Amino acid sequence: MPDTPPVILGSEPGSFPHSVLAERHPAIIRQVREAFPYGPEQHRALDALLENCTKGVIEPLPTAAPDRAAWAAWGADEYTGRSWFDVPWLWSESWFYRQLLEAVGYFGPGAWQGIDPFRPFKLAELESPETDEELAALDALDGRPADEQAAALLHGSLWGNRADLGFRLSDADAEGRAAVPGLVADDSAALWSLLDGADTLCLVADNAGRELVPDLLLIAHLLAQGRVRRAILHVKPYPYYVSDATTADVVDAVRRLTRAPGAAADHGRALWSAMADGSLTVRAHPFSCAPLPYEAMPDDLRAEFAAAALTVVKGDLNYRRLVGDRMWPPTTPFAGVTAYFPGPVAALRTLKSDVITGLAPATETALVAAEGQRWRTGGTHALIQVRGLK
């Protein structure tokens, strides 16, 4: 293992983390404020959060907060009184979403208890014409060989709302013709080798809406083909990072599939049955919203991942938690930084933040030559990385 770089902070002006704290978070507050007819109490609290998250310091949760003790253990006591920009970026991002829920009364008691402040955005995406188009592409996929279906669905899950299954089916060689391939690391062969009659797959979901649907379709295919006996889908226990999937979002996505015409409805009904008979289980572990890397996971979660034939970790945030939110040299071996993980693990991620490991030196050189450092955060590149059995 190389020397461990320090954790990323948001204190450097002009950096991507700084822009998230100084610009993206205030914009999210404004969007949430406009999405619901909140009352004066919520408006005052949102105004206070806007001021605090950009100019203030970390303040403790209310005494009555149900998760106050958990957040104290996760670092709130240590960071109280410090600037949001001077604590680990992963921590301050997570703290923002927890405080946003506090501002809108999500944890109650009150009329707004349990109301997801991001639900309008999630539903709009799920009901979009683009979703109709992607679901319609499943009809063409249904007639293809099983391995071809599996590969297309894996790439759908990888790229999320940039999946464009129809394009990928009609032009399968586009990736190979690209000057700098969109897929900067591809361990898909190792992934499939771990999913050959496997007992249990854990899939740690990322976003809801059009990004959760391909995850569910991949699970449906793996169950139907007998490549896994059961699947455990890990989601967030409460709304998080604007679009992260909760149990309610899983239900919305499965319902969306069952209402669609053609093959999509068949997949939706299969998923509904799988949830009923236990071959698909949804988990919402409290640690899923922790502001910490997976290396700090509690023993019960560690045991669950250890028992799985493979844990697939989806998305950018989960990748940061998997490898540690640090500025690793891009060629740092993925297997080394994930050696702590209790079982085989795969990362499926579109690149939307600076953190990256496991690149071949030639790949990094080509990316930098073509794009400078924009390739790290632009969402135009992705990776499939696997660390198998130890």
Side-chain angles (χ1 to χ4, degrees):
M1 172 72 73
D3 292 339
T4 303
V7 296
I8 295 174
L9 306 178
S11 53
E12 183 181 344
S15 68
F16 182 68
H18 189 278
S19 72
V20 169
L21 297 177
E23 300 167 21
R24 182 183 295 180
H25 287 175
I28 289 169
I29 291 174
R30 289 189 288 271
Q31 291 167 353
V32 166
R33 182 177 184 138
E34 295 169 2
F36 282 96
Y38 289 122
E41 181 181 352
Q42 286 76 33
H43 281 275
R44 285 192 296 271
L46 289 169
D47 289 343
L49 177 59
L50 179 60
E51 179 77 11
N52 179 251
C53 75
T54 53
K55 302 175 184 176
V57 297
I58 304 295
E59 298 176 357
L61 289 173
T63 304
D67 52 351
R68 182 184 170 101
W71 274 94
W74 293 340
D77 287 353
E78 177 184 354
Y79 297 141
T80 293
R82 293 171 63 177
S83 166
W84 292 61
F85 294 84
D86 293 334
V87 302
W89 180 44
L90 177 65
W91 198 95
S92 56
E93 272 197 293
S94 298
W95 184 248
F96 169 77
Y97 289 101
R98 175 59 185 85
Q99 291 288 40
L100 182 61
L101 293 183
E102 193 67 34
V104 299
Y106 180 86
F107 292 102
W112 294 99
Q113 185 176 22
I115 302 298
D116 183 348
F118 312 124
R119 184 168 171 79
F121 317 125
K122 295 173 178 177
L123 290 180
E125 184 180 279
L126 196 60
E127 300 298 335
S128 69
E130 291 83 3
T131 301
D132 290 330
E133 293 169 9
E134 288 171 9
L135 294 181
L138 292 171
D139 293 332
L141 187 61
D142 245 19
R144 304 292 182 96
D147 285 352
E148 195 173 322
Q149 292 184 40
L153 292 170
L154 177 66
H155 279 256
S157 179
L158 170 66
W159 288 101
N161 62 6
R162 295 186 64 249
D164 194 0
L165 282 176
F167 169 75
R168 292 176 187 279
L169 288 171
S170 63
D171 193 3
D173 297 325
E175 174 75 12
R177 295 196 304 272
V180 181
L183 197 57
V184 298
D186 185 6
D187 294 341
S188 53
L191 184 149
W192 292 123
S193 72
L194 291 164
L195 294 179
D196 189 10
D199 184 68
T200 301
L201 164 71
C202 285
L203 193 151
V204 182
D206 184 33
N207 291 332
R210 286 175 61 204
E211 298 193 34
L212 180 60
V213 166
D215 297 342
L216 290 167
L217 293 171
L218 177 62
I219 288 172
H221 177 82
L222 294 173
L223 289 171
Q225 295 295 316
R227 298 195 77 150
V228 300
R229 185 183 68 83
R230 65 190 293 256
I232 301 172
L233 180 65
H234 284 261
V235 298
K236 302 299 189 294
Y238 51 77
Y240 196 60
Y241 277 72
V242 180
S243 55
D244 281 31
T246 65
T247 302
D249 299 319
V250 174
V251 175
D252 286 340
V254 174
R255 282 180 173 153
R256 177 72 173 85
L257 287 168
T258 59
R259 295 199 317 269
D266 295 334
H267 291 301
R269 287 190 289 269
L271 288 161
W272 197 284
S273 297
M275 293 177 74
D277 66 26
S279 51
L280 171 57
T281 303
V282 179
R283 292 269 197 276
H285 196 285
F287 189 76
S288 294
C289 286
L292 303 173
Y294 280 112
E295 193 166 10
M297 74 180 84
D299 290 343
D300 61 332
L301 190 59
R302 181 175 294 275
E304 185 161 304
F305 290 150
L310 177 65
T311 297
V312 174
V313 174
K314 280 292 311 295
D316 200 77
L317 172 62
N318 283 323
Y319 188 86
R320 291 163 56 196
R321 297 185 71 194
L322 179 66
V323 305
D325 202 31
R326 303 171 184 272
M327 285 296 287
W328 298 103
T331 56
T332 303
F334 175 75
V337 296
T338 59
Y340 71 88
F341 203 84
V345 63
L348 269 61
R349 173 224 183 180
T350 304
L351 276 58
K352 297 177 184 176
S353 69
D354 291 309
V355 179
I356 185 74
T357 67
L359 292 192
T363 300
E364 183 195 3
T365 299
L367 287 165
V368 172
E371 304 177 29
Q373 295 299 323
R374 294 189 306 277
W375 61 271
R376 292 175 179 261
T377 59
T380 57
H381 298 283
L383 57 79
I384 301 171
Q385 293 176 323
V386 176
R387 197 222 69 215
L389 296 170
K390 297 177 183 177

